[in-house]
Amino acid sequence: MADKKAGGAGLRGQIAGKSAICTVAMGHSGLTYFGYEVDDLAENCEFEEVAYLLFNGELPNQQQLNDYKKKLTGLRDLPPALCEVLERIPATAHPMDVLRTGVSFLGNLETEDSFTQQKDAADRLIATLPGMITYWYRFSHDGVRISMDTGASSIAGHFLHLLHDKVPSALHEQVMQVSLILYAEHEFNASTFTARVCASTLSDIHSCITGAIGSLRGPLHGGANEAAMEMIQQWSSPDEAEQAILGMLQRKEKIMGFGHAVYTESDPRNGIIKSWAEKLAEETGDEVLYPVSVRCEEVMWREKKLFCNADFFHASAYHFMGIPTKLFTPIFVMSRTTGWSAHVFEQRSDNRIIRPNAEYIGPAPRTVTPLADR
Ligand code: COA
């Protein structure tokens, strides 16, 4: 355990490469995308502006944004062969597995033949991901084949429209914009590192993103927002939540949506999504989920000095917008594909295959005993 805390395990604290994309550190300006603080971006930008920033290193001007949004809107349709594949995936499948398959299959249909196509391939992915997940969800759960023609000008509005079959409220679209911005990029986290390792072999972008989806799926990473939702939903009052959390801590169970591998006192994304969750709670007249969430936050800080990460208040915020819990982590994919792609571009621009060493702790050298004598 001492070695774990010293940074041996999980590559904690190691510099694993250079990047100009993002900073993740404690304190003011802790989380920045190309120099912009995440709260600045969340307050003043649309997700498409942030996607443009991550792909180009600069925010777009109005004309560039208009052109970019028009391009993305024109890339939304799903190829019929992909729809056929999505229709074959059962309702019981995990939606992250659906996206893993969807992205991989798209890579068969629209192969990235040259790295000169990388931005177009990434744009195609962020334009189609909302459709991919909702097409499967609505077909497998509601028995309907949805059209991608929502007329929504934003990815946030497009996703909510596809999911609920109606134009979202301005508030819901805005919260989704903010959420997509908060999740867009986070330096060398597990899924991004997966994407970069894959990119370092000079593989195609669909392979990089497919691998990253696999890493994000786990409950210690992107899956935490779903796990947090399942947990807080069990409790009908803040007092009940407090007792349950105390019991879990005593049993040394992990409380999902708390703690972070880099931040030590707070997650800069938490305050932003928490305030939107509070607004949504007021809008829906919620008197349980939000107060329960706030009590969890208080108890965890009081007992363990552990703070909410970005996932915890995302759980109630998404729930208040009528998003099924199983689609929480796929929204993360819709967003983080921008950050993953930016890292793939960066890795490719100055590449050396990522190949660290292991400290060997296995058996001493030995020889094979003939099979008959073993
Ligand atoms: N609930 C309860 N205890 C927690 C905890 C949590 N969510 N997160 C950390 N701890 C405890 C650890 O058990 C450990 O206790 P110990 O000193 O008695 O061994 C201590 O806090 C240090 O945490 P550690 O596991 O070393 O942190 P890490 O850097 O390895 O892991 C996370 C970081 C994010 C994986 C971890 O905090 C976690 O599993 N959180 C829950 C999952 C989650 O929300 N993931 C989303 C991340 S954005």
Side-chain angles (χ1 to χ4, degrees), residues 1 4-5 9-10 12 183 186 218-225 227-228 248-249 252-263 267 269 300 304 306-312 332:
M1 182 60 74
K4 186 177 167 185
K5 299 287 162 172
R12 201 70 76 254
Y183 274 143
H186 216 223
L220 295 188
H221 193 5
N225 53 17
M248 289 170 82
L249 288 177
K252 297 217 169 296
E253 292 173 24
K254 278 254 163 94
I255 318 290
M256 292 302 158
F258 284 86
H260 200 269
V262 179
Y263 305 125
D267 182 327
R269 301 164 297 180
M300 287 296 281
K304 296 280 286 183
L306 279 167
F307 53 90
C308 297
N309 56 47
D311 291 320
F312 192 67
F332 201 152

Side-chain angles (χ1 to χ4, degrees), residues 145-156:
R145 290 189 171 95
I146 56 170
S147 155
M148 297 296 120
D149 193 12
T150 59
S153 68
S154 72
I155 287 175

Side-chain angles (χ1 to χ4, degrees), residues 139-346:
F139 184 82
S140 61
H141 289 68
D142 305 335
V144 292
R145 290 189 171 95
I146 56 170
S147 155
M148 297 296 120
D149 193 12
T150 59
S153 68
S154 72
I155 287 175
H158 180 57
F159 168 71
L160 289 172
H161 192 148
L162 290 174
L163 181 63
H164 294 133
D165 206 13
K166 60 176 190 209
V167 179
S169 71
L171 174 64
H172 287 195
E173 186 172 347
Q174 191 175 0
V175 177
M176 188 51 62
Q177 293 272 16
V178 169
S179 170
L180 294 175
I181 291 170
L182 295 182
Y183 274 143
E185 168 50 14
H186 216 223
E187 202 220 27
F188 278 20
N189 58 84
S191 56
T192 302
F193 200 58
T194 303
R196 284 192 82 123
V197 170
C198 189
S200 82
T201 70
L202 302 184
S203 188
D204 67 296
I205 194 161
H206 299 92
S207 297
C208 300
I209 304 298
T210 302
I213 293 171
S215 288
L216 187 69
R217 186 190 193 291
L220 295 188
H221 193 5
N225 53 17
E226 289 182 34
M229 185 67 219
E230 276 151 22
M231 181 183 73
I232 56 180
Q233 232 172 1
Q234 306 168 71
W235 303 320
S236 54
S237 73
D239 287 346
E240 189 186 341
E242 176 157 355
Q243 287 316 309
I245 291 265
L246 291 173
M248 289 170 82
L249 288 177
Q250 210 165 27
R251 293 189 297 277
K252 297 217 169 296
E253 292 173 24
K254 278 254 163 94
I255 318 290
M256 292 302 158
F258 284 86
H260 200 269
V262 179
Y263 305 125
T264 52
E265 285 160 25
S266 67
D267 182 327
R269 301 164 297 180
N270 176 52
I272 304 169
I273 195 63
K274 183 183 173 187
S275 69
W276 286 107
E278 187 177 11
K279 280 195 188 73
L280 291 166
E282 278 163 22
E283 185 206 42
T284 54
D286 165 77
E287 290 178 352
V288 179
L289 215 50
Y290 185 76
V292 158
S293 304
V294 171
R295 182 70 70 88
C296 293
E297 183 180 33
E298 287 165 5
V299 173
M300 287 296 281
W301 184 253
R302 186 187 73 212
E303 297 293 322
K304 296 280 286 183
K305 291 285 172 281
L306 279 167
F307 53 90
C308 297
N309 56 47
D311 291 320
F312 192 67
F313 279 95
H314 259 108
S316 52
Y318 286 164
H319 183 79
F320 295 142
M321 291 195 285
I323 298 171
T325 305
K326 59 159 71 168
L327 297 190
F328 288 7
T329 318
I331 299 173
F332 201 152
V333 176
M334 284 164 38
S335 161
R336 186 58 64 84
T337 295
T338 56
W340 290 333
S341 302
H343 279 273
V344 170
F345 304 163
E346 189 178 58

Side-chain angles (χ1 to χ4, degrees), residues 20-195:
I21 302 171
C22 177
T23 60
V24 173
M26 275 312 302
H28 195 59
S29 303
L31 175 56
T32 60
Y33 304 168
F34 281 107
Y36 294 104
E37 279 176 39
V38 75
D39 40 1
D40 196 5
L41 294 169
E43 203 175 316
N44 295 302
C45 294
E46 295 184 62
F47 174 60
E48 281 80 352
E49 291 174 78
V50 172
Y52 187 101
L53 170 70
L54 290 169
F55 290 177
N56 299 288
E58 295 295 341
L59 284 168
N61 61 29
Q62 187 65 60
Q63 188 57 48
Q64 288 166 326
L65 179 62
N66 294 349
D67 292 347
Y68 188 47
K69 287 178 76 170
K70 197 166 163 215
K71 178 186 182 193
L72 292 176
T73 308
L75 289 172
R76 284 177 181 167
D77 267 345
L78 305 181
L82 175 56
C83 292
E84 276 173 42
V85 166
L86 294 170
E87 288 181 18
R88 283 170 166 259
I89 304 177
T92 49
H94 193 292
M96 289 294 279
D97 298 345
V98 177
L99 285 185
R100 195 188 60 215
T101 297
V103 169
S104 176
F105 193 69
L106 191 68
N108 286 285
L109 301 176
E110 301 174 8
T111 317
E112 185 202 23
D113 295 320
S114 147
F115 292 169
T116 59
Q117 300 167 342
Q118 61 184 8
K119 277 190 195 163
D120 288 335
D123 285 340
R124 176 74 167 141
L125 280 171
I126 63 169
T128 50
L129 280 165
M132 240 184 249
I133 195 62
T134 49
Y135 188 92
W136 164 78
Y137 184 80
R138 298 289 310 283
F139 184 82
S140 61
H141 289 68
D142 305 335
V144 292
R145 290 189 171 95
I146 56 170
S147 155
M148 297 296 120
D149 193 12
T150 59
S153 68
S154 72
I155 287 175
H158 180 57
F159 168 71
L160 289 172
H161 192 148
L162 290 174
L163 181 63
H164 294 133
D165 206 13
K166 60 176 190 209
V167 179
S169 71
L171 174 64
H172 287 195
E173 186 172 347
Q174 191 175 0
V175 177
M176 188 51 62
Q177 293 272 16
V178 169
S179 170
L180 294 175
I181 291 170
L182 295 182
Y183 274 143
E185 168 50 14
H186 216 223
E187 202 220 27
F188 278 20
N189 58 84
S191 56
T192 302
F193 200 58
T194 303

